[in-house]
Amino acid sequence: MNDIGLVFAGGGGKGAYQIGVWQALRKLNLEERIAMVSGTSVGALNAALFLKGDLDLATNIWSRISGDALLPFNEENDDALFSNKGLKFFVREALAAKDRANPILCYVTCKRRYDGQIKYFELRGILDPAYRRKILMASAAIPGIFPPVSIDGEEYIDGGANGDNVPVHPIFLNRLPVILVVHLSQEDEPCRGQWLMTDVYDLYPSESLGGFLSGVLDFNAKSAEWRRNLGLSDGLAFLCGIDRLFEKNYVSERRSGLIALEHPLFSNDQQTKNDSSAMAAETIRKEQEAMEKIKFEQESVQKQYEARISELKRIAASPQMTTRVLWDATVAKYARTIERVQDLMAQDELQGETSPRLDQQMRAFLAKCEKQEFHIALVGAIKAGKSSLINAVLDEELASTEVTPETASLTKFRGGNTDCVSIAFYSREEWDVLWESARKAGEDSKFMDEYRELNAEAEKPRWVGHQPVYVECENRERLKEEIRKWSSSRSATHYFVKEVEVYLKDFALPEGVILVDTPGLNDAVEYRSDITKNYIDRANAVFVCVKADKLSAPELSTIYSVFSNARYQPEKIYIIGTQQDTLNDPVEDWKKQRKSWLGHLKERACYGNMELAERNLISTSGYFYTLLKNQDCLEKKRRYQLFSTALKMECEQEEMPEKYDALLDFTGIDYLRRRMNTDIVSKYQDLLRGDIASGYSLLKDNISELMRRVRERQEEVLSNSAKSIAEIREKEAENQRKLEEARRDQEELGALFEEIKKDASERKKRISKAIRELGGTQK
């Protein structure tokens, strides 16, 4: 019976350990129970060897391994320290043998380089040996160590590089009830407890297999032999210690659900490692007991209730998981839980219980979980200086800064292999909602006037519902032209663009960090401003841009709403006072404004303390920074703008070279960059996971509160229903008593009537007799 999944983690030279575990599986006659295998990096190579089934070949390859052969220095490519020529030989040798007589599924984990998307290739279904080699080469292409590998025109790298180094996901998707994970590091997070309706067993090395240099890059035959022997002894000890895993009826019981679930709906990672199973089982038992206490007098109603409860339980315990979240097991667990909540809330009994706000938060949370991307959103009113700030941070004028508001759709800036632009368009349903929102703004609104002026209606059939457009640009001028084409307010096409994504070959930020320019929060078309409001939930850090000359009620309202969405992490919000150079006295006036702003920001509704408020309130002059950096090639009009601003700083034109550094320092852009680097960029992956965990906690609290209110309301309804039933029954009894009394009264009246009738008859006879005796005649 094939009923167990096998997972090989990544770890370079430490991978010989997994061959020892394979030997243990064969010694215990358990190899034939493996239904499928998955692996990342060296784990993928070992998975491919396991697909072959030739243990002698695998042992022989690892016994002859050599660092000199496998790690030749790279003299052709600056992106990698070593050439992959030796790795090619290793992979070719590993794939030389035929697959098993009864091939099993074999998944290899790779990571797409330009966007970090994880992809699982299934080797059994790929017959082309050259294509198989490419996949294995890509999975082992450790960034900086080996060069990336091109597959189908896209570059891929090691799937474990901030991706999925322990690929349980593809095994779980096939719904195997038991999974054995072979780790290569004692520091790996345990996988057990993270997968509903599945038992995951984590096998860790009993001794450290080494660090990066002494383990991952240690391709030495003697070291490999020691690790293989350790894997054999650890494997035998571990597998013999979980005998129940291999009992005859265990798997069928596990599939049928006779063995209790060991995973709570909402759990904490540490509890998962320790005693969450017992807590979850107790919670489920109590919930079931509470449900079983509810009884209905009518058998048909009771059956309907029990069938519905069974369906809701099935949804809550469903092993189905999202296939969108493939970069982190814990994040995938969070996403699965929220998706189940969405399914439950979609049931008829709970329709209308979820507020639009909570529904938006859940959708934004799932979007945040989908990819390993850290989004820095710039939000604010129209013409608050968001685009100028982005240009300054990027040190290049890419975002439009025209006098008319340009950003009417989300515009994302991120790293890529080439300079290119990707454009997404509104669907027909989305456009209908936007158009209705525009009509509410009025037929004489600025939106409608410009829409008619540009004859945009003629363009609508071409672009609404259009598939995304992808344009590669040979140079930056072409790139800027494309950005203007799709986003400029003077282009009729821009009305139908939902999102513009700009990929930059030499992006200033690392892969995975994305700058997002958003529509103005005070856009006359409510639908477009709502895009920004909703995107605040999706963002991992928020730069709230407010013109330095004012902090009015609308700006304060925006700031408060941003903080309310991030109550667990106020430190991820930065208030940016933009366009400081437009103040009459930029330095002194800002000192006064800053003091006033801090009075609001220190309150509990914002940062909650003065120290954090002072740290995260930053003044900038993005446009002035751009003028300074490009002063040697400015056109006449912009030179005047530069000089007039410098004069405000008491700097004459001839003094600018001498005071250049001081002027740059005034703009605040270099300081903002440093803060971005220390606060975000250097640790964005940890921040991303922390932000998702905080978002999950917030959702858990909101959902728990919602369910408490629903439960209280239902209990009130049941209580009122019970009262109503009692009142009805009492009334019915009273009516029955009255009816009985009326019946008795009627009987008594009837008897009395009969007596009266009888008496009257007798009296009539007596009167008639008396009349006759007197000689009268009866008429």
Side-chain angles (χ1 to χ4, degrees), residues 103-117:
I104 62 175
L105 291 175
C106 177
Y107 293 95
V108 172
T109 312
C110 298
K111 178 180 176 181
R112 196 161 59 193
R113 189 183 186 191
Y114 87 92
D115 64 354
Q117 185 68 37

Side-chain angles (χ1 to χ4, degrees), residues 401-610:
T401 56
E402 295 296 327
V403 174
T404 55
E406 293 289 301
T407 309
S409 58
L410 289 173
T411 305
K412 301 178 180 178
F413 297 88
R414 61 188 304 164
N417 294 327
T418 59
D419 290 338
C420 59
V421 180
S422 176
I423 306 96
F425 300 91
Y426 289 115
S427 66
R428 288 177 173 80
E429 294 77 12
E430 290 169 332
W431 174 257
D432 288 342
V433 177
L434 186 152
W435 185 250
E436 181 61 27
S437 179
R439 287 172 62 90
K440 287 180 180 178
E443 290 295 329
D444 59 347
S445 67
K446 189 172 187 293
F447 176 94
M448 286 298 195
D449 286 344
E450 292 181 351
Y451 188 85
R452 288 188 288 265
E453 179 187 338
L454 294 170
N455 192 25
E457 188 67 18
E459 292 288 312
K460 187 179 79 170
R462 181 181 178 188
W463 298 114
V464 172
H466 197 285
Q467 291 298 309
V469 171
Y470 181 84
V471 182
E472 283 198 26
C473 305
E474 61 274 12
N475 54 53
R476 282 299 168 88
E477 287 308 312
R478 170 73 190 285
L479 180 70
K480 293 176 184 179
E481 181 183 331
E482 285 296 328
I483 294 173
R484 284 193 296 271
K485 174 182 176 181
W486 300 106
S487 66
S488 172
S489 63
R490 303 314 302 162
S491 165
T493 309
H494 92 277
Y495 288 102
F496 315 108
V497 174
K498 179 181 180 180
E499 182 176 299
V500 176
E501 201 154 9
V502 181
Y503 293 84
L504 302 171
K505 187 164 55 178
D506 52 353
F507 192 51
L509 300 174
E511 178 184 353
V513 178
I514 300 168
L515 283 177
V516 186
D517 195 2
T518 63
L521 281 165
N522 58 340
D523 195 308
V525 179
E526 186 178 5
Y527 182 88
R528 298 199 297 198
S529 61
D530 283 345
I531 289 174
T532 299
K533 293 174 185 176
N534 293 335
Y535 199 79
I536 291 171
D537 289 324
R538 165 63 185 91
N540 305 102
V542 182
F543 288 1
V544 186
C545 298
V546 182
K547 290 183 67 173
D549 63 349
K550 64 177 180 178
L551 186 61
S552 58
E555 281 81 10
L556 271 176
S557 176
T558 298
I559 290 171
Y560 290 150
S561 67
V562 171
F563 277 101
S564 69
N565 291 345
R567 65 180 186 184
Y568 285 94
Q569 290 181 299
E571 65 276 5
K572 80 174 192 177
I573 299 171
Y574 298 79
I575 308 301
I576 312 296
T578 61
Q579 305 177 30
Q580 183 186 349
D581 55 289
T582 62
L583 295 170
N584 292 328
D585 186 339
V587 175
E588 293 303 318
D589 287 354
W590 172 245
K591 287 180 181 179
K592 298 172 186 176
Q593 290 282 35
R594 179 180 174 82
K595 184 177 179 180
S596 173
W597 289 26
L598 288 173
H600 296 286
L601 297 177
K602 71 177 182 180
E603 300 298 329
R604 291 187 62 184
C606 297
Y607 290 111
N609 65 78
M610 180 62 83

Side-chain angles (χ1 to χ4, degrees), residues 201-245:
Y201 290 86
D202 297 281
L203 196 168
Y204 288 95
S206 58
E207 299 180 37
S208 172
L209 300 180
F212 187 74
L213 294 177
S214 60
V216 175
L217 297 184
D218 180 22
F219 294 99
N220 177 279
K222 188 173 181 180
S223 300
E225 183 181 7
W226 172 77
R227 294 184 180 112
R228 180 172 54 79
N229 289 332
L230 183 65
L232 173 58
S233 61
D234 284 354
L236 290 172
F238 182 83
L239 295 170
C240 290
I242 52 172
D243 295 339
R244 192 180 180 220
L245 172 61

Side-chain angles (χ1 to χ4, degrees), residues 342-354 713:
Q342 283 186 322
D343 288 342
L344 286 168
M345 299 309 295
Q347 302 306 299
D348 292 340
E349 295 86 345
L350 296 174
Q351 280 286 338
E353 295 289 355
T354 307
R713 189 159 58 251

Side-chain angles (χ1 to χ4, degrees), residues 1-7 25 29-37 50 104-105 171-172 174-180 197-201 239 242-255:
M1 176 172 25
N2 298 74
D3 44 36
I4 300 172
L6 180 62
V7 178
L25 287 167
N29 297 317
L30 296 173
E31 185 178 351
E32 62 186 21
R33 297 277 297 276
I34 305 298
M36 59 191 70
V37 62
F50 195 89
I104 62 175
L105 291 175
I171 304 292
F172 178 83
N174 284 276
R175 301 191 179 185
L176 283 187
V178 177
I179 300 175
L180 175 64
M197 298 299 290
T198 301
D199 274 341
V200 180
Y201 290 86
L239 295 170
I242 52 172
D243 295 339
R244 192 180 180 220
L245 172 61
F246 309 109
E247 288 177 5
K248 183 177 180 180
N249 296 324
Y250 179 81
V251 172
S252 59
E253 289 176 353
R254 196 72 181 89
R255 284 186 186 278

Side-chain angles (χ1 to χ4, degrees), residues 42 119 129 283 387 404 510 546:
V42 74
K119 184 166 183 178
T283 300
S387 299
T404 55
V546 182

